[in-house]
Amino acid sequence: MSQETRDKLTPFMADLVWIEHIGARGFASLAAKAPTATIREIYRYFHAEEQKHANAELALMRRWGMLEHGRIPEPNTQVKLAIKVLDTYGDTLPLQGLAALIPLLECALDGALVKFLTDTVEDPLCHEVFRHINSDEARHITVDFEVLDYLGARGWISSISSAAELLDPRVVVGLIVVFAPLINKMRDNIVGMGLQEKKLMNAVRRFEKLGGRGEYTARLASYQALKVMGNMIIDRSHPYHRLLADPMVKITNHVPRFLIDKPQSWVKGLSPKAVA
Amino acid sequence: MASATRNAPARPGSGRRARAESAPFHGKLLTGTGWFEHYYHGERVAILASGAEAASILPEVLHTAETVTVFEETSTWVTPLRVPGPLRGLASRAWLRLSVGDAWTRRQLTPNKRFDSREVTVSPSYYAALQNPRTRLIHWPAYAIAVNGIRSADGVEYQVDTIIVGATSRFAATVPTTAKESAR
Ligand SMILES: [Fe+2]
Protein backbone atom coordinates (compact mmCIF):
# COMPACT_ATOMS: atom_id res chain seq x y z
CA MET A 1 0.00 0.00 0.00
CA SER A 2 1.40 3.39 -0.97
CA GLN A 3 2.06 6.02 1.66
CA GLU A 4 -0.51 8.23 -0.03
CA THR A 5 -3.32 5.67 0.21
CA ARG A 6 -2.32 4.93 3.78
CA ASP A 7 -2.54 8.56 4.85
CA LYS A 8 -5.84 8.93 3.04
CA LEU A 9 -7.38 5.80 4.53
CA THR A 10 -6.19 6.09 8.15
CA PRO A 11 -8.86 8.54 9.39
CA PHE A 12 -11.52 6.65 7.43
CA MET A 13 -10.55 3.32 9.02
CA ALA A 14 -10.46 4.91 12.47
CA ASP A 15 -13.99 6.23 11.96
CA LEU A 16 -15.11 2.84 10.71
CA VAL A 17 -13.69 1.07 13.77
CA TRP A 18 -15.44 3.48 16.08
CA ILE A 19 -18.76 3.30 14.27
CA GLU A 20 -18.70 -0.49 14.59
CA HIS A 21 -17.83 -0.16 18.25
CA ILE A 22 -20.71 2.24 18.84
CA GLY A 23 -22.98 -0.07 16.86
CA ALA A 24 -21.92 -2.86 19.19
CA ARG A 25 -22.93 -0.76 22.18
CA GLY A 26 -26.26 -0.07 20.47
CA PHE A 27 -26.96 -3.79 20.30
CA ALA A 28 -26.19 -4.05 24.01
CA SER A 29 -28.98 -1.53 24.64
CA LEU A 30 -31.31 -3.35 22.27
CA ALA A 31 -30.60 -6.63 24.09
CA ALA A 32 -31.70 -5.05 27.36
CA LYS A 33 -35.00 -3.92 25.80
CA ALA A 34 -35.64 -6.83 23.46
CA PRO A 35 -39.31 -7.77 23.07
CA THR A 36 -38.69 -11.51 23.59
CA ALA A 37 -36.01 -13.70 25.19
CA THR A 38 -34.99 -15.14 21.81
CA ILE A 39 -34.48 -11.72 20.26
CA ARG A 40 -32.48 -10.72 23.32
CA GLU A 41 -30.21 -13.72 22.83
CA ILE A 42 -29.74 -12.86 19.15
CA TYR A 43 -28.87 -9.26 20.04
CA ARG A 44 -26.28 -10.49 22.54
CA TYR A 45 -24.56 -12.29 19.67
CA PHE A 46 -24.86 -9.25 17.42
CA HIS A 47 -23.30 -7.12 20.14
CA ALA A 48 -20.30 -9.45 20.19
CA GLU A 49 -20.15 -9.66 16.40
CA GLU A 50 -20.05 -5.90 15.97
CA GLN A 51 -17.18 -5.76 18.40
CA LYS A 52 -15.55 -8.50 16.36
CA HIS A 53 -15.88 -6.29 13.28
CA ALA A 54 -14.29 -3.37 15.09
CA ASN A 55 -11.43 -5.59 16.23
CA ALA A 56 -10.94 -7.06 12.76
CA GLU A 57 -10.79 -3.60 11.21
CA LEU A 58 -8.33 -2.58 13.90
CA ALA A 59 -6.22 -5.61 13.01
CA LEU A 60 -6.25 -4.49 9.36
CA MET A 61 -5.11 -1.04 10.46
CA ARG A 62 -2.26 -2.65 12.33
CA ARG A 63 -1.36 -4.77 9.30
CA TRP A 64 -1.27 -1.66 7.13
CA GLY A 65 0.91 0.22 9.59
CA MET A 66 -1.80 2.70 10.54
CA LEU A 67 -1.55 2.27 14.32
CA GLU A 68 1.11 4.39 15.92
CA HIS A 69 2.97 2.24 18.45
CA GLY A 70 0.06 -0.21 18.39
CA ARG A 71 -2.19 2.41 19.91
CA ILE A 72 -5.96 2.40 19.34
CA PRO A 73 -6.91 5.50 17.31
CA GLU A 74 -8.46 8.29 19.30
CA PRO A 75 -12.19 8.78 18.51
CA ASN A 76 -13.15 12.15 17.03
CA THR A 77 -15.32 14.59 18.99
CA GLN A 78 -18.55 13.48 17.33
CA VAL A 79 -17.84 9.85 18.18
CA LYS A 80 -17.06 10.83 21.76
CA LEU A 81 -20.41 12.60 21.96
CA ALA A 82 -22.18 9.51 20.68
CA ILE A 83 -20.37 7.44 23.33
CA LYS A 84 -21.45 9.90 25.99
CA VAL A 85 -25.08 9.73 24.90
CA LEU A 86 -25.04 5.94 24.79
CA ASP A 87 -23.48 5.79 28.25
CA THR A 88 -26.02 8.19 29.69
CA TYR A 89 -29.25 7.37 27.86
CA GLY A 90 -28.49 4.27 25.81
CA ASP A 91 -30.50 1.91 27.96
CA THR A 92 -33.50 4.22 28.29
CA LEU A 93 -33.95 5.30 24.67
CA PRO A 94 -37.15 4.00 23.09
CA LEU A 95 -36.72 0.56 21.55
CA GLN A 96 -38.18 1.37 18.13
CA GLY A 97 -35.83 4.34 17.71
CA LEU A 98 -32.65 2.31 18.13
CA ALA A 99 -34.16 -0.67 16.36
CA ALA A 100 -34.65 1.46 13.22
CA LEU A 101 -31.43 3.46 13.50
CA ILE A 102 -29.13 0.47 13.60
CA PRO A 103 -30.26 -1.10 10.30
CA LEU A 104 -29.92 2.30 8.60
CA LEU A 105 -26.33 2.52 9.78
CA GLU A 106 -25.72 -1.06 8.74
CA CYS A 107 -27.13 -0.49 5.26
CA ALA A 108 -24.82 2.47 4.88
CA LEU A 109 -21.74 0.70 6.25
CA ASP A 110 -22.35 -2.50 4.43
CA GLY A 111 -23.57 -1.06 1.15
CA ALA A 112 -21.40 1.97 0.69
CA LEU A 113 -18.40 2.29 3.00
CA VAL A 114 -17.20 -1.28 2.97
CA LYS A 115 -17.67 -1.59 -0.79
CA PHE A 116 -15.69 1.58 -1.22
CA LEU A 117 -12.90 0.14 0.87
CA THR A 118 -12.69 -3.16 -0.98
CA ASP A 119 -12.71 -1.27 -4.29
CA THR A 120 -9.83 0.93 -3.12
CA VAL A 121 -7.60 -1.61 -1.38
CA GLU A 122 -6.14 -4.62 -3.14
CA ASP A 123 -4.98 -6.56 -0.08
CA PRO A 124 -6.55 -10.06 -0.41
CA LEU A 125 -6.82 -10.39 3.36
CA CYS A 126 -8.91 -7.23 3.45
CA HIS A 127 -11.35 -8.76 0.95
CA GLU A 128 -11.50 -11.94 3.00
CA VAL A 129 -12.18 -10.02 6.22
CA PHE A 130 -14.95 -7.95 4.68
CA ARG A 131 -16.54 -10.97 3.07
CA HIS A 132 -17.07 -12.29 6.60
CA ILE A 133 -18.15 -8.94 7.96
CA ASN A 134 -20.63 -8.53 5.12
CA SER A 135 -22.19 -11.91 5.70
CA ASP A 136 -22.64 -11.03 9.40
CA GLU A 137 -24.08 -7.69 8.42
CA ALA A 138 -26.56 -9.26 5.99
CA ARG A 139 -27.75 -11.52 8.81
CA HIS A 140 -28.04 -8.56 11.18
CA ILE A 141 -30.03 -6.52 8.67
CA THR A 142 -32.48 -9.37 8.08
CA VAL A 143 -33.13 -9.76 11.79
CA ASP A 144 -33.29 -5.99 12.35
CA PHE A 145 -36.12 -5.68 9.84
CA GLU A 146 -37.91 -8.75 11.22
CA VAL A 147 -37.89 -7.05 14.61
CA LEU A 148 -39.19 -3.78 13.14
CA ASP A 149 -42.01 -5.66 11.51
CA TYR A 150 -42.73 -7.43 14.79
CA LEU A 151 -42.86 -4.11 16.63
CA GLY A 152 -45.14 -2.66 13.97
CA ALA A 153 -47.44 -5.67 14.20
CA ARG A 154 -48.23 -4.85 17.81
CA GLY A 155 -51.04 -2.70 16.50
CA TRP A 156 -51.96 0.91 16.01
CA ILE A 157 -52.36 1.81 19.65
CA SER A 158 -48.88 0.61 20.46
CA SER A 159 -47.50 2.33 17.34
CA ILE A 160 -49.02 5.64 18.33
CA SER A 161 -47.98 5.48 21.97
CA SER A 162 -44.44 4.50 21.06
CA ALA A 163 -44.37 7.28 18.45
CA ALA A 164 -45.08 9.66 21.30
CA GLU A 165 -42.05 8.24 23.11
CA LEU A 166 -39.92 9.44 20.22
CA LEU A 167 -40.74 13.03 21.05
CA ASP A 168 -38.71 12.55 24.19
CA PRO A 169 -36.24 15.48 24.25
CA ARG A 170 -33.36 13.05 24.68
CA VAL A 171 -34.22 11.46 21.36
CA VAL A 172 -34.63 14.76 19.53
CA VAL A 173 -31.42 16.17 21.00
CA GLY A 174 -29.64 12.87 20.33
CA LEU A 175 -30.59 13.02 16.66
CA ILE A 176 -29.71 16.69 16.19
CA VAL A 177 -26.62 16.99 18.35
CA VAL A 178 -25.12 13.56 17.97
CA PHE A 179 -26.38 11.64 14.99
CA ALA A 180 -26.56 14.48 12.42
CA PRO A 181 -22.98 15.78 12.87
CA LEU A 182 -21.49 12.29 13.29
CA ILE A 183 -22.95 11.09 10.03
CA ASN A 184 -22.34 14.30 8.14
CA LYS A 185 -18.70 14.45 9.03
CA MET A 186 -18.17 10.90 7.93
CA ARG A 187 -20.28 11.38 4.83
CA ASP A 188 -18.27 14.36 3.66
CA ASN A 189 -14.95 12.69 4.47
CA ILE A 190 -15.75 9.68 2.40
CA VAL A 191 -17.24 11.58 -0.51
CA GLY A 192 -14.12 13.72 -0.43
CA MET A 193 -12.07 10.53 -0.76
CA GLY A 194 -13.88 9.58 -3.93
CA LEU A 195 -16.99 7.59 -2.96
CA GLN A 196 -19.77 8.26 -5.44
CA GLU A 197 -22.82 9.76 -3.82
CA LYS A 198 -24.88 7.32 -5.82
CA LYS A 199 -23.63 4.53 -3.57
CA LEU A 200 -24.90 6.34 -0.51
CA MET A 201 -28.19 6.73 -2.30
CA ASN A 202 -28.34 2.99 -2.94
CA ALA A 203 -27.83 2.36 0.76
CA VAL A 204 -30.85 4.46 1.68
CA ARG A 205 -32.87 2.88 -1.17
CA ARG A 206 -32.03 -0.49 0.33
CA PHE A 207 -33.23 0.64 3.75
CA GLU A 208 -36.52 1.71 2.16
CA LYS A 209 -36.84 -1.45 0.12
CA LEU A 210 -36.23 -3.83 3.01
CA GLY A 211 -38.54 -1.84 5.25
CA GLY A 212 -41.16 -1.85 2.50
CA ARG A 213 -41.17 -5.65 2.47
CA GLY A 214 -42.39 -5.83 6.05
CA GLU A 215 -46.14 -5.76 6.31
CA TYR A 216 -46.23 -3.61 9.46
CA THR A 217 -42.89 -1.79 9.43
CA ALA A 218 -44.42 1.31 7.81
CA ARG A 219 -46.47 1.90 10.97
CA LEU A 220 -43.34 2.74 12.93
CA ALA A 221 -42.78 6.45 13.27
CA SER A 222 -39.06 5.92 13.86
CA TYR A 223 -38.66 4.04 10.60
CA GLN A 224 -40.55 6.73 8.68
CA ALA A 225 -38.55 9.52 10.31
CA LEU A 226 -35.22 7.87 9.55
CA LYS A 227 -36.26 7.25 5.97
CA VAL A 228 -36.86 10.98 5.57
CA MET A 229 -33.63 11.79 7.35
CA GLY A 230 -31.66 9.32 5.23
CA ASN A 231 -32.93 10.96 2.07
CA MET A 232 -31.98 14.38 3.33
CA ILE A 233 -28.49 13.18 4.24
CA ILE A 234 -27.68 11.81 0.80
CA ASP A 235 -28.94 14.91 -1.03
CA ARG A 236 -26.15 17.44 -0.45
CA SER A 237 -28.22 20.31 -1.88
CA HIS A 238 -31.03 19.77 0.64
CA PRO A 239 -31.40 22.68 3.12
CA TYR A 240 -30.95 20.10 5.91
CA HIS A 241 -27.21 20.37 5.40
CA ARG A 242 -27.02 24.15 5.21
CA LEU A 243 -29.38 24.80 8.10
CA LEU A 244 -28.75 21.94 10.47
CA ALA A 245 -26.04 19.37 9.85
CA ASP A 246 -23.15 21.61 8.77
CA PRO A 247 -23.59 24.09 11.63
CA MET A 248 -23.88 21.13 14.05
CA VAL A 249 -20.56 19.71 12.84
CA LYS A 250 -18.96 23.10 13.49
CA ILE A 251 -20.52 23.47 16.91
CA THR A 252 -19.73 19.94 18.08
CA ASN A 253 -16.10 20.40 17.05
CA HIS A 254 -15.92 22.85 19.96
CA VAL A 255 -17.67 20.86 22.66
CA PRO A 256 -15.72 21.41 25.89
CA ARG A 257 -13.65 18.40 26.87
CA PHE A 258 -14.96 18.02 30.38
CA LEU A 259 -18.41 17.24 28.99
CA ILE A 260 -17.26 14.19 27.11
CA ASP A 261 -14.28 13.06 29.07
CA LYS A 262 -14.87 9.97 31.17
CA PRO A 263 -16.38 7.27 28.97
CA GLN A 264 -17.45 3.92 30.46
CA SER A 265 -15.02 1.04 30.30
CA TRP A 266 -16.59 -0.69 27.24
CA VAL A 267 -14.80 1.94 25.18
CA LYS A 268 -11.51 0.28 26.13
CA GLY A 269 -12.67 -3.11 24.90
CA LEU A 270 -11.03 -2.82 21.48
CA SER A 271 -8.04 -4.97 20.60
CA PRO A 272 -6.47 -6.01 17.29
CA LYS A 273 -5.47 -9.40 18.72
CA ALA A 274 -7.38 -12.60 17.99
CA VAL A 275 -6.01 -14.50 21.00
CA ALA A 276 -6.26 -13.51 24.64
CA MET B 1 -18.38 -36.56 18.80
CA ALA B 2 -21.67 -36.72 16.91
CA SER B 3 -23.41 -37.15 20.25
CA ALA B 4 -22.35 -33.63 21.09
CA THR B 5 -24.85 -32.20 18.63
CA ARG B 6 -27.53 -34.73 19.47
CA ASN B 7 -27.41 -33.83 23.15
CA ALA B 8 -27.64 -30.13 22.45
CA PRO B 9 -30.70 -28.36 23.86
CA ALA B 10 -33.60 -27.93 21.46
CA ARG B 11 -33.59 -24.16 21.60
CA PRO B 12 -33.32 -22.71 18.08
CA GLY B 13 -29.75 -22.22 17.03
CA SER B 14 -28.26 -23.06 20.39
CA GLY B 15 -26.95 -26.36 19.09
CA ARG B 16 -24.87 -24.43 16.63
CA ARG B 17 -23.64 -21.98 19.21
CA ALA B 18 -22.81 -24.10 22.20
CA ARG B 19 -20.84 -26.88 20.66
CA ALA B 20 -17.75 -28.94 21.27
CA GLU B 21 -15.23 -28.72 18.42
CA SER B 22 -14.23 -31.81 16.53
CA ALA B 23 -10.69 -31.52 17.84
CA PRO B 24 -10.97 -31.91 21.62
CA PHE B 25 -9.64 -29.42 24.15
CA HIS B 26 -5.98 -30.05 25.02
CA GLY B 27 -6.21 -29.16 28.69
CA LYS B 28 -8.41 -30.38 31.54
CA LEU B 29 -12.15 -30.16 31.22
CA LEU B 30 -13.88 -30.31 34.60
CA THR B 31 -17.61 -30.97 34.92
CA GLY B 32 -19.97 -31.60 37.82
CA THR B 33 -18.14 -31.34 41.13
CA GLY B 34 -14.80 -32.03 39.43
CA TRP B 35 -13.76 -28.42 39.94
CA PHE B 36 -13.78 -28.91 43.70
CA GLU B 37 -11.18 -31.68 43.67
CA HIS B 38 -8.77 -30.14 41.19
CA TYR B 39 -5.56 -28.33 42.18
CA TYR B 40 -5.17 -25.13 40.13
CA HIS B 41 -1.73 -23.94 41.13
CA GLY B 42 -0.30 -21.69 38.39
CA GLU B 43 -3.01 -22.58 35.86
CA ARG B 44 -4.99 -20.35 33.53
CA VAL B 45 -8.59 -21.32 34.19
CA ALA B 46 -11.87 -20.56 32.41
CA ILE B 47 -15.30 -20.91 34.00
CA LEU B 48 -18.38 -21.46 31.84
CA ALA B 49 -21.30 -21.08 34.22
CA SER B 50 -24.36 -19.17 35.29
CA GLY B 51 -23.73 -16.28 37.65
CA ALA B 52 -25.10 -18.23 40.60
CA GLU B 53 -22.63 -21.05 39.99
CA ALA B 54 -19.71 -18.79 39.18
CA ALA B 55 -20.32 -17.02 42.50
CA SER B 56 -19.36 -20.16 44.37
CA ILE B 57 -16.70 -21.47 41.97
CA LEU B 58 -14.67 -18.32 41.23
CA PRO B 59 -13.56 -17.29 44.76
CA GLU B 60 -12.35 -20.84 45.48
CA VAL B 61 -10.46 -21.26 42.24
CA LEU B 62 -8.89 -17.82 42.38
CA HIS B 63 -7.00 -18.76 45.56
CA THR B 64 -4.50 -20.84 43.61
CA ALA B 65 -5.08 -20.24 39.88
CA GLU B 66 -2.86 -17.81 38.03
CA THR B 67 -5.67 -16.23 36.03
CA VAL B 68 -9.40 -16.96 35.81
CA THR B 69 -11.61 -16.03 32.86
CA VAL B 70 -15.29 -16.06 33.79
CA PHE B 71 -17.89 -16.51 31.05
CA GLU B 72 -20.92 -15.52 33.05
CA GLU B 73 -23.83 -16.91 31.05
CA THR B 74 -26.56 -15.26 33.09
CA SER B 75 -26.24 -12.61 35.77
CA THR B 76 -27.44 -13.10 39.30
CA TRP B 77 -28.25 -10.88 42.25
CA VAL B 78 -25.79 -11.30 45.10
CA THR B 79 -25.84 -10.47 48.81
CA PRO B 80 -22.87 -10.94 51.12
CA LEU B 81 -24.97 -12.64 53.82
CA ARG B 82 -28.36 -14.23 54.11
CA VAL B 83 -30.96 -11.46 54.05
CA PRO B 84 -34.64 -11.85 55.01
CA GLY B 85 -36.98 -12.12 52.00
CA PRO B 86 -38.52 -8.65 51.70
CA LEU B 87 -35.14 -6.89 51.99
CA ARG B 88 -33.32 -9.10 49.54
CA GLY B 89 -33.94 -7.02 46.43
CA LEU B 90 -32.84 -3.80 48.07
CA ALA B 91 -29.83 -5.40 49.75
CA SER B 92 -28.56 -7.00 46.55
CA ARG B 93 -28.88 -3.73 44.64
CA ALA B 94 -27.02 -1.83 47.33
CA TRP B 95 -24.32 -4.53 47.51
CA LEU B 96 -23.72 -4.34 43.78
CA ARG B 97 -23.54 -0.56 43.86
CA LEU B 98 -21.12 -0.60 46.80
CA SER B 99 -18.87 -3.37 45.56
CA VAL B 100 -18.48 -2.58 41.87
CA GLY B 101 -17.23 0.90 41.04
CA ASP B 102 -17.16 0.63 37.26
CA ALA B 103 -20.52 1.47 35.68
CA TRP B 104 -20.14 -0.81 32.67
CA THR B 105 -19.10 -3.83 34.75
CA ARG B 106 -22.07 -3.11 36.99
CA ARG B 107 -24.35 -3.08 33.97
CA GLN B 108 -23.05 -6.48 32.91
CA LEU B 109 -23.56 -7.91 36.38
CA THR B 110 -27.11 -6.61 36.69
CA PRO B 111 -29.75 -9.26 35.94
CA ASN B 112 -32.41 -8.19 33.44
CA LYS B 113 -35.76 -7.49 35.06
CA ARG B 114 -37.77 -9.39 32.51
CA PHE B 115 -35.51 -12.23 31.41
CA ASP B 116 -33.28 -13.20 34.33
CA SER B 117 -34.16 -14.99 37.51
CA ARG B 118 -34.85 -12.89 40.60
CA GLU B 119 -33.14 -15.36 42.84
CA VAL B 120 -30.44 -14.01 45.12
CA THR B 121 -27.13 -15.83 45.58
CA VAL B 122 -25.27 -15.49 48.86
CA SER B 123 -21.56 -14.86 48.34
CA PRO B 124 -19.41 -12.45 50.32
CA SER B 125 -16.47 -12.60 47.93
CA TYR B 126 -17.84 -12.95 44.37
CA TYR B 127 -17.70 -9.27 43.37
CA ALA B 128 -14.29 -8.81 44.96
CA ALA B 129 -12.99 -11.88 43.12
CA LEU B 130 -14.43 -10.62 39.83
CA GLN B 131 -12.52 -7.39 40.21
CA ASN B 132 -9.27 -9.07 41.13
CA PRO B 133 -6.62 -8.17 38.52
CA ARG B 134 -6.16 -11.89 37.84
CA THR B 135 -9.82 -12.27 36.86
CA ARG B 136 -11.39 -11.40 33.52
CA LEU B 137 -15.15 -11.16 33.27
CA ILE B 138 -16.34 -11.95 29.75
CA HIS B 139 -19.92 -11.16 28.89
CA TRP B 140 -19.70 -12.35 25.28
CA PRO B 141 -21.47 -15.64 24.72
CA ALA B 142 -18.96 -18.48 24.53
CA TYR B 143 -19.21 -19.96 21.06
CA ALA B 144 -17.20 -23.17 21.26
CA ILE B 145 -14.60 -25.09 23.20
CA ALA B 146 -11.56 -25.17 20.92
CA VAL B 147 -8.22 -26.97 21.12
CA ASN B 148 -6.50 -24.30 23.20
CA GLY B 149 -9.38 -22.73 25.06
CA ILE B 150 -12.70 -21.03 24.50
CA ARG B 151 -13.76 -19.19 21.40
CA SER B 152 -16.38 -16.54 22.02
CA ALA B 153 -18.76 -14.65 19.78
CA ASP B 154 -16.44 -11.62 19.58
CA GLY B 155 -14.05 -13.77 17.55
CA VAL B 156 -11.36 -13.96 20.21
CA GLU B 157 -9.90 -17.23 21.44
CA TYR B 158 -9.32 -17.16 25.18
CA GLN B 159 -6.49 -19.62 25.77
CA VAL B 160 -6.52 -21.55 29.04
CA ASP B 161 -5.16 -24.71 30.69
CA THR B 162 -8.34 -25.80 32.44
CA ILE B 163 -12.03 -25.27 31.73
CA ILE B 164 -14.70 -25.64 34.40
CA VAL B 165 -18.18 -26.27 33.01
CA GLY B 166 -20.90 -25.44 35.52
CA ALA B 167 -23.73 -27.94 35.99
CA THR B 168 -26.35 -25.58 34.55
CA SER B 169 -24.08 -24.15 31.84
CA ARG B 170 -25.42 -24.56 28.33
CA PHE B 171 -22.19 -26.36 27.56
CA ALA B 172 -22.93 -28.99 30.21
CA ALA B 173 -24.92 -31.09 27.73
CA THR B 174 -22.55 -30.71 24.81
CA VAL B 175 -19.26 -31.58 26.50
CA PRO B 176 -18.25 -35.00 25.12
CA THR B 177 -18.34 -37.86 27.62
CA THR B 178 -14.71 -38.79 26.91
CA ALA B 179 -13.71 -35.39 28.17
CA LYS B 180 -15.84 -35.90 31.25
CA GLU B 181 -13.96 -39.11 31.99
CA SER B 182 -10.56 -37.56 31.42
CA ALA B 183 -11.41 -35.01 34.03
CA ARG B 184 -11.50 -37.65 36.73
FE1 LIG C 1 -20.56 -4.39 11.69
Side-chain angles (χ1 to χ4, degrees), chain A residues 25 28-29 31-37 40-42 44-45 47-49 51-52 55 91 264-266 273-276, chain B residues 11-12 17-18 72-73 102-105 107 112 114-116 136 139-143 153-159 170:
Chain A
R25 177 64 182 82
S29 287
K33 318 198 79 189
T36 71
R40 178 205 188 203
E41 193 61 15
I42 292 172
R44 283 187 64 211
Y45 275 83
H47 177 198
E49 284 167 1
Q51 170 119 23
K52 179 173 78 182
N55 287 340
D91 293 338
Q264 287 186 10
S265 55
W266 61 270
K273 297 191 197 104
V275 168
Chain B
R11 220 148 26 98
R17 286 169 196 151
E72 201 193 41
E73 292 176 357
D102 180 58
W104 179 248
T105 314
R107 182 188 186 277
N112 187 290
R114 285 175 302 146
F115 302 119
D116 290 328
R136 279 189 297 197
H139 61 284
W140 310 123
Y143 183 79
D154 62 332
V156 176
E157 188 173 291
Y158 296 86
Q159 299 191 334
R170 51 175 159 177

Side-chain angles (χ1 to χ4, degrees), chain B residues 16-30:
Chain B
R16 178 177 63 84
R17 286 169 196 151
R19 63 177 178 183
E21 293 280 279
S22 47
F25 175 55
H26 269 331
K28 282 244 161 59
L29 200 57
L30 304 173

Side-chain angles (χ1 to χ4, degrees), chain A residues 102-172:
Chain A
I102 285 189
L104 178 63
L105 283 177
E106 280 180 319
C107 282
L109 279 175
D110 182 54
L113 306 198
V114 167
K115 265 205 195 83
F116 168 74
L117 193 65
T118 44
D119 287 349
T120 315
V121 182
E122 269 164 31
D123 186 352
L125 189 77
C126 167
H127 288 246
E128 178 72 15
V129 165
F130 281 109
R131 212 167 41 78
H132 284 287
I133 290 183
N134 271 348
S135 83
D136 281 350
E137 224 62 83
R139 209 156 29 83
H140 292 189
I141 290 174
T142 313
V143 173
D144 293 340
F145 280 105
E146 284 291 322
V147 173
L148 281 183
D149 203 38
Y150 177 92
L151 293 178
R154 283 175 166 183
W156 281 107
I157 293 175
S158 153
S159 296
I160 291 165
S161 68
S162 61
E165 269 178 34
L166 293 174
L167 295 175
D168 184 329
R170 290 172 306 186
V171 177
V172 178

Side-chain angles (χ1 to χ4, degrees), chain B residues 46-139:
Chain B
I47 301 174
L48 289 167
S50 67
E53 282 176 321
S56 53
I57 301 174
L58 171 67
E60 289 298 322
V61 172
L62 193 63
H63 281 309
T64 51
E66 190 184 298
T67 61
V68 184
T69 309
V70 182
F71 290 85
E72 201 193 41
E73 292 176 357
T74 50
S75 326
T76 180
W77 288 112
V78 178
T79 51
L81 344 136
R82 236 162 245 303
V83 173
L87 290 174
R88 241 174 246 163
L90 202 67
S92 55
R93 265 167 207 285
W95 179 238
L96 177 61
R97 185 68 193 81
L98 277 174
S99 324
V100 182
D102 180 58
W104 179 248
T105 314
R106 214 158 50 224
R107 182 188 186 277
Q108 287 169 33
L109 291 172
T110 308
N112 187 290
K113 246 186 251 159
R114 285 175 302 146
F115 302 119
D116 290 328
S117 144
R118 277 157 199 259
E119 251 159 76
V120 176
T121 309
V122 177
S123 168
S125 49
Y126 182 47
Y127 288 151
L130 276 176
Q131 291 173 96
N132 187 301
R134 291 183 291 125
T135 307
R136 279 189 297 197
L137 172 65
I138 307 293
H139 61 284

